[in-house]
Amino acid sequence: MTGQETTKRICVFCGSSFGRGANFAEKATELGVILAKNDYGLVYGGGTTGLMGCVAKAVASNGSYVHGIIPDALVSKERKNLDEIEKMNHDLKESVSNHKGATPLNDSYGKTTIVPDMHTRKRMMAQEADGFVAMPGGFGTLEEVMEITTWSQLGIHAKPIVLFNIDHYYDEFILFLENCVKRGFISPENGNIIAVATTPEEVIERLKTYKVPEGRFNLTWRNQ
């Protein structure tokens, strides 16, 4: 299988940091492997650090398509080799405070498109993807998964959205969404827009069996 033969591409939202504990990085790598084995390509936020780097390297090294889309401001201007990237990631595993925001690029992590801003990045990722998976991450990841979920509710797209709840990371977030339904700010039907998985295998299953919930807004969107 080559990257060009991949028919479907999954956009993965996740942290450019590793989080505390090895489990997040291990599961990100496992997800990348299983995506490639199921003939999925990857669209992601670009770069080589943290969980983003783990999933991209795993997909690319298993022969599938990888496309990173990253704003120019987040690109490290010094192109680094793999040894230097490994050293950078080692430091990042020690503490998220070692992350300065920018990330180096390397062809081993797939092809990269550099764009001028975050809005262009998110639009291109959404347009290219056939589905979305959110792994653990910080502010950016939460914003991305909420935006793409809102777009589904508004009828802008009808693609699967899966929350990969590694090591109970999203338990409180899931409870918050359930409370939004309970309090009447999200309809029960729209509460089903996000599917939840706890293993890489479940992620694939949720992507393949996803059913678009009834009750989403029936709006007409142009120039998307």
Side-chain angles (χ1 to χ4, degrees):
M1 178 187 68
T2 68
Q4 299 304 316
E5 293 171 350
T6 303
T7 56
K8 289 193 175 184
R9 298 168 184 177
I10 303 303
C11 178
V12 174
F13 304 128
C14 60
S16 58
S17 299
F18 288 95
R20 290 194 177 95
N23 199 41
F24 295 123
E26 290 173 0
K27 293 303 178 183
T29 297
E30 288 178 19
L31 178 64
V33 172
I34 199 169
L35 284 171
K37 288 184 176 179
N38 281 270
D39 293 346
Y40 287 114
L42 172 70
V43 182
Y44 81 114
T48 55
T49 62
L51 302 191
M52 297 174 84
C54 289
V55 68
K57 189 174 183 179
V59 175
S61 62
N62 280 275
S64 199
Y65 172 93
V66 176
H67 184 193
I69 303 170
I70 187 168
D72 180 68
L74 299 184
V75 178
S76 173
K77 303 311 177 185
E78 296 181 9
R79 198 163 184 90
K80 297 182 181 296
N81 60 38
L82 290 176
D83 288 339
E84 291 174 310
I85 291 172
E86 287 297 319
K87 173 62 167 60
M88 183 177 180
N89 276 322
H90 176 269
D91 292 342
L92 186 54
K93 287 178 181 178
E94 295 297 313
S95 172
V96 68
S97 299
N98 292 324
H99 195 355
K100 305 307 179 185
T103 181
L105 304 180
N106 188 284
D107 293 342
S108 297
Y109 292 77
K111 75 171 186 176
T112 303
T113 298
I114 299 174
V115 296
D117 53 55
M118 294 289 284
H119 296 291
T120 304
R121 174 206 227 179
K122 291 188 291 182
R123 185 180 71 250
M124 288 182 65
M125 290 166 68
Q127 289 174 336
E128 184 171 352
D130 297 292
F132 305 90
V133 174
M135 291 194 300
F139 290 134
T141 301
L142 291 171
E143 188 270 340
E144 287 168 329
V145 71
M146 284 291 88
E147 182 171 56
I148 210 66
T149 300
T150 301
W151 287 4
S152 177
Q153 177 182 257
L154 294 175
I156 294 174
H157 74 86
K159 301 171 183 179
I161 303 170
V162 180
L163 197 67
F164 186 9
N165 188 22
I166 301 171
D167 197 23
H168 304 283
Y169 183 80
Y170 281 115
D171 283 0
E172 290 83 2
F173 178 65
I174 294 167
L175 287 173
F176 169 76
L177 295 179
E178 291 174 352
N179 189 53
C180 291
V181 173
K182 181 179 178 181
R183 296 294 187 96
F185 287 95
I186 298 175
S187 71
E189 294 81 8
N190 285 331
N192 293 321
I193 291 175
I194 299 177
V196 178
T198 58
T199 67
E201 292 78 13
E202 284 185 356
V203 170
I204 301 300
E205 180 66 18
R206 299 292 184 270
L207 288 170
K208 290 182 175 179
T209 62
Y210 185 85
K211 297 186 185 305
V212 181
E214 299 290 337
R216 299 181 312 135
F217 300 156
N218 186 21
L219 303 174
T220 300
W221 295 89
R222 297 180 176 86
N223 300 322
Q224 293 299 321

